[in-house]
Amino acid sequence: MFALIRTALFGLVCLTSIVTGIAPSSAADYPNRPVRWLIGFAAGGPVDIVARILSQWLSEHLGQQFIVENRTGSGGNIAAAAAISSPPDGYTLLFVAPNNAISTSLYKKLPYDFIRDTVPVASIMQLTNMLVVSNAMPVKTVQEFIDYCKANPGKVSYASSGNGTSVHMSAELFKAMTRIDMVHVPYRGSALAFPDIISNKVQLIFDNLPSALEQARGGSVRALGVTSPQRWPSVPDIPAIAETVPGFESVGFYGISVPKGTPPEIVDVLNKAVGEALKDPKLVARLADVGGIPKPMTPAEFGKLVADETEKWRKVVEFAGVSVD
């Protein structure tokens, strides 16, 4: 009789878990199977680089594989939609970046409300973008670049990692503030754009620092400026664009969110794990190598950052006068 009761109770727990989308395991044994980490951009790009650095640390320290899964397209919105529609059990994470804050106002139709439908987990790092141009471009400074664009209206094209990314909007903000005319060529991630920049099929990109810096250090492109309001600590020799275009600023962030309904105990486990990772000197050094500044936060602090960034980029979208259907 007791065996039958135990069996019935176990079945009820499993049925409840299926209905709510939560696995019957508790946060005490989380994770007890591999965790998917969805990112919205192609392998080899800045988001992918940072995700793989952190996922390796999490895999080694939490005892389960954190698997980076690239879901490219629509400026990261395909990955966001896939994550939001996943069971809220802690086994599907979403890499969060400025594109998620930008899309809210840039895209006229989205199948979700990012702030409403996700739960903030942790901040990873702060970073800047960098303006890099093809070596074939006859410019070596931001001012020379502006002058060249004004002398060749509509003949210069810029790449982005997709509509609604900070890479896209940094260029649109630059266009609006300098009153130059450039043509937008979106890609499914900046890694896919660089071969065309190197060959001068497109002339430039305002890419996230990790991949832009790697290309500039290798000499395949020329760095002109960073989008932070002051020079960035890891590349002090590169001028801030604001030194030429006063008030210009585009500073980004990387973090993690999960689908709405994920148990707070699991959110806490993940937040603490990321916090510990950002204290590890070896991991911090790897982030520094790609120009990132670690920024650990509580879930509430990260949620406020995402909300603040959403409002900030709404103003930039309106100022630049751009939208995507």
Side-chain angles (χ1 to χ4, degrees):
M1 178 64 71
F2 288 117
L4 289 173
I5 292 173
R6 284 197 299 268
T7 301
L9 288 173
F10 178 76
L12 181 60
V13 169
C14 290
L15 178 60
T16 302
S17 299
I18 291 170
V19 172
T20 60
I22 301 171
S25 60
S26 67
D29 65 350
Y30 174 86
N32 57 26
R33 54 189 170 89
V35 178
R36 295 189 308 156
W37 193 0
L38 303 186
I39 70 172
F41 305 99
V47 169
D48 183 76
I49 292 170
V50 173
R52 292 182 189 278
I53 290 173
L54 186 56
S55 65
Q56 180 182 352
W57 192 98
L58 292 172
S59 298
E60 292 172 354
H61 290 77
L62 292 183
Q64 291 290 338
Q65 287 296 308
F66 280 69
I67 302 167
V68 172
E69 187 175 314
N70 303 82
R71 296 283 190 96
T72 64
S74 189
N77 291 322
I78 290 176
I84 288 168
S85 64
S86 298
D89 55 10
Y91 289 91
T92 301
L93 315 181
L94 175 67
F95 196 109
V96 181
N99 62 285
N100 301 112
I102 295 167
S103 292
T104 299
S105 53
L106 181 68
Y107 283 80
K108 293 181 179 179
K109 299 177 182 179
L110 285 176
Y112 57 81
D113 180 310
F114 188 79
I115 293 178
R116 181 196 66 202
D117 296 333
T118 63
V119 175
V121 172
S123 166
I124 300 170
M125 64 185 234
Q126 187 180 41
L127 73 163
T128 184
N129 288 358
M130 178 185 282
L131 166 58
V132 296
V133 300
S134 164
N135 286 327
M137 285 282 285
V139 299
K140 293 185 178 179
T141 67
V142 172
Q143 188 59 58
E144 288 179 359
F145 173 70
I146 294 171
D147 293 341
Y148 181 87
C149 289
K150 288 186 174 180
N152 297 274
K155 296 181 180 180
V156 175
S157 58
Y158 74 90
S160 81
S161 49
N163 288 315
T165 60
S166 69
V167 180
H168 171 207
M169 292 309 302
S170 294
E172 288 294 335
L173 180 61
F174 186 83
K175 283 174 56 179
M177 292 184 71
T178 59
R179 298 184 180 181
I180 62 173
D181 181 17
M182 297 189 295
V183 178
H184 180 207
V185 183
Y187 291 78
R188 287 177 173 263
S190 61
L192 303 177
F194 270 103
D196 286 351
I197 299 168
I198 293 168
S199 65
N200 201 38
K201 290 180 181 177
V202 292
Q203 284 67 55
L204 66 132
I205 189 170
F206 284 78
D207 198 20
N208 292 171
L209 188 59
S211 54
L213 183 57
E214 181 181 5
Q215 295 288 344
R217 283 173 172 168
S220 57
V221 295
R222 182 181 304 125
L224 299 188
V226 292
T227 61
S228 49
Q230 293 86 32
R231 297 193 181 205
W232 199 248
S234 61
V235 283
D237 294 337
I238 305 298
I241 293 172
E243 294 174 28
T244 304
V245 185
F248 182 84
E249 177 185 351
S250 177
V251 178
F253 65 94
Y254 285 169
I256 302 172
S257 287
V258 289
K260 180 182 178 181
T262 300
E265 298 83 3
I266 289 178
V267 171
D268 187 55
V269 169
L270 289 166
N271 180 270
K272 288 179 178 177
V274 173
E276 288 300 313
L278 297 180
K279 295 177 185 177
D280 186 323
K282 292 183 179 178
L283 184 134
V284 170
R286 294 185 70 186
L287 294 183
D289 284 342
V290 296
I293 298 175
K295 288 289 181 181
M297 295 181 181
T298 66
E301 290 170 340
F302 183 53
K304 184 178 185 304
L305 172 66
V306 173
D308 290 346
E309 288 288 310
T310 299
E311 177 59 19
K312 180 189 81 173
W313 284 108
R314 181 189 64 78
K315 294 176 181 178
V316 173
V317 168
E318 292 178 355
F319 176 73
V322 293
S323 65
V324 178
D325 291 328

